[in-house]
Amino acid sequence: MTGRPPLPGGPYLVVGLGRSGIAAALALAARGETVVGTDRGSPDVGGLDRIETHVQTDGVELVARVRTVIKSPGVPAESPVVAVARERGLNVIGELELAWRLLENEFIGVTGTNGKTTTVELIGRIHREAGLGVAVAGNVGLALSALAGPGQVDPAATIVCEASSFQLEDTVAFAPEAAVLLNLSDDHLDRHGTMEAYRTAKLEIFARQEAGQIAVGPEGLEIPGGAAGRVRFGEGPDADVGDRRGSLWWGETELIGVDEIRLRGPHNRRNAMAAAAVTLARGVPIDAVRAGLRGFGGVPHRLEEIATIDGVLYVNDSKATNVAGTLVALASFAAGTIHLILGGQGKDQRFDDLRASVAERCAGAYLIGEDAPAIAAALGDRPPTRYSETLDRAVREARQAARPGHVVLLSPACASFDQFDDFEHRGRRFRELVGAD
């Protein structure tokens, strides 16, 4: 394990008291550090009853009391409290950086526009098939800092960490033993401003890696910076894990037939290649990799087949919060059979890229949420499009129109915050409306 730099000195101000911020505050408090927390909203801070918290305030007045600011991923860089802290020369690090410095474990970091959650869970499954200690945490699910408390994780276990662009842009020294970039396409431009800034944030996962570490990426995508050994996956002749002749290959060794992989769709085949590449490169036995690929059926809210009712398949892909995610979902089902529910907060995306695929593959489109008008303008007049406005109405209208052999697919291409707490809330509501719960 590469040595971690020491933690910057306290007292500490944790900005943003969502899941990650609460975990960071508790991890610091467990070490006996002085911690103050602040949030502009009104989060539930009941779990922080022994920590001083300030809500419904930007927290600028607290900066004078601390030496280091811990920034939660959802807090923009231009937030007043963060800006003031930097102007005063204070240390500012993100929750991912904090947790990495607190933990002794080796890390596999996984980033990309789409497929992160599926891939980290698949990597975790492969480790368990091999009988190796592993913990999965990060952007979705368990916050990474939650592992930093006493007795939370075996120091010998590998931590497989999902890392978003929001988390990576706040890293300072983060250098995982293995880093994986799955793909890159437009996303979060409302936060990052430009595709180049978004790409730069993602590539931070490789920037400080050292010789002897591993950098995994798709064939044809340059991995700048760092000194790690490169491992490639893809369909071309130079891929270390390749998709050829109906099978995945590790060099010249046949790994598994593509029809043996449980995950649906060509995008998931690439996720499987990435997971195989990083685990094989780290020495996980090939039989465990094969078993993981055969046995892993996916994660909730990502192409989750939740029910078949009257011959109609209902699929929850609520985690598709960008156009690229919806495009890969559409490619996973037969053309002309899909009743697509999409819409929400578009994050300044261009929806034009949906037009051809939706026209080819969908029998109907049902638009909900804040950016429904923009999506309608991009789709044009094919297929038949309805302004359903709410998810409840969209499910009802799609159910009425669908025929046996069709698919009702929630794959919104948008964030959920206009009508829901998060994409998980949206997915759970879809399950309820379908009658799967």
Side-chain angles (χ1 to χ4, degrees):
M1 184 194 76
T2 302
R4 308 285 201 259
L7 201 63
Y12 299 90
L13 174 62
V14 176
V15 181
L17 298 177
R19 180 175 53 88
S20 295
I22 287 174
L26 291 173
L28 288 166
R31 290 166 50 91
E33 304 288 356
T34 300
V35 186
V36 182
T38 185
D39 195 295
R40 295 183 65 180
S42 302
D44 180 2
V45 293
L48 299 176
D49 53 341
R50 297 185 181 181
I51 295 173
E52 180 184 342
T53 58
H54 300 257
V55 298
Q56 296 183 313
T57 174
D58 59 20
V60 169
E61 71 281 1
L62 302 171
V63 171
R65 297 171 50 189
V66 303
R67 293 173 59 198
T68 296
V69 169
I70 309 298
K71 178 175 165 299
S72 295
V75 177
E78 60 273 17
S79 171
V81 64
V82 175
V84 169
R86 286 186 166 134
E87 286 172 4
R88 297 186 181 183
L90 272 63
N91 300 298
V92 178
I93 63 173
E95 184 264 344
L96 170 60
E97 178 83 21
L98 169 72
W100 175 73
R101 295 194 190 194
L102 291 177
L103 290 158
E104 301 177 3
N105 306 68
E106 293 197 350
F107 270 63
I108 300 175
V110 179
T111 196
T113 304
N114 292 296
K116 296 184 294 297
T117 302
T118 297
T119 304
V120 297
E121 292 291 351
L122 176 52
I123 293 169
R125 173 66 176 261
I126 289 169
H127 278 74
R128 287 187 285 272
E129 292 284 355
L132 300 172
V134 68
V136 176
N139 181 48
V140 173
L142 183 69
L144 191 58
S145 293
L147 297 176
Q152 292 300 309
V153 62
D154 185 336
T158 297
I159 292 177
V160 187
C161 171
E162 177 179 355
S164 71
S165 60
F166 294 177
Q167 292 171 307
L168 288 168
E169 71 177 355
D170 293 321
T171 55
V172 177
F174 178 64
E177 281 70 26
V180 181
L181 174 64
L182 298 170
N183 45 59
L184 275 175
S185 57
D186 288 2
D187 198 15
H188 297 301
L189 299 188
D190 55 338
R191 166 81 171 253
H192 294 290
T194 66
M195 181 61 188
E196 184 57 32
Y198 172 64
R199 180 178 184 275
T200 298
K202 287 290 193 186
L203 293 176
E204 285 290 311
I205 200 166
F206 302 118
R208 292 165 292 273
Q209 284 189 292
E210 300 176 355
Q213 298 181 330
I214 296 167
V216 178
E219 189 180 33
L221 194 150
E222 181 184 358
I223 300 176
R230 270 49 173 170
V231 180
R232 303 291 187 177
F233 63 91
E235 292 77 27
D238 297 327
D240 299 286
V241 172
D243 182 357
R244 305 188 297 272
R245 303 188 299 277
S247 295
L248 301 189
W249 295 76
W250 172 235
E252 297 304 314
T253 301
E254 187 173 10
L255 179 58
I256 191 172
V258 297
D259 58 351
E260 298 177 70
I261 300 170
R262 284 186 63 192
L263 294 168
R264 181 192 287 269
H267 64 294
N268 272 325
R269 195 152 64 244
R270 295 181 68 80
N271 294 337
M273 285 192 281
V278 72
T279 50
L280 289 167
R282 282 176 51 81
V284 175
I286 194 168
D287 286 344
V289 176
R290 290 186 177 119
L293 296 177
R294 287 192 183 104
F296 183 67
V299 298
H301 311 295
R302 175 59 88 189
L303 286 179
E304 180 188 15
E305 299 181 11
I306 58 174
T308 299
I309 301 173
D310 297 330
V312 176
L313 176 63
Y314 290 82
V315 178
N316 170 22
D317 195 42
S318 183
K319 199 173 186 302
T321 59
N322 53 57
V323 167
T326 296
L327 288 173
V328 296
L330 292 172
S332 301
F333 302 97
T337 67
I338 302 170
H339 296 264
L340 176 64
I341 301 172
L342 75 167
Q345 290 183 332
K347 302 180 287 184
D348 293 341
Q349 296 176 94
R350 287 173 51 85
F351 294 106
D352 295 356
D353 289 346
L354 285 171
R355 183 169 186 158
S357 185
V358 171
E360 174 191 357
R361 309 196 74 82
C362 294
Y366 309 82
L367 308 185
I368 65 174
E370 187 176 292
D371 275 330
I375 297 172
L379 295 184
D381 56 3
R382 291 184 57 206
T385 299
R386 295 175 179 266
Y387 279 103
S388 299
E389 298 183 358
T390 67
L391 183 59
D392 301 46
R393 183 175 169 187
V395 171
R396 184 169 65 250
E397 292 174 342
R399 190 194 305 271
Q400 291 170 351
R403 300 291 176 262
H406 285 190
V407 178
V408 174
L409 171 65
L410 171 66
S411 189
C414 292
S416 56
F417 302 116
D418 54 338
Q419 295 181 331
F420 301 93
D421 295 339
D422 49 32
F423 77 83
E424 293 161 313
H425 180 204
R426 179 170 61 189
R428 289 194 300 271
R429 180 58 182 156
F430 179 69
R431 291 180 61 92
E432 293 168 359
L433 293 166
V434 169
D437 289 331

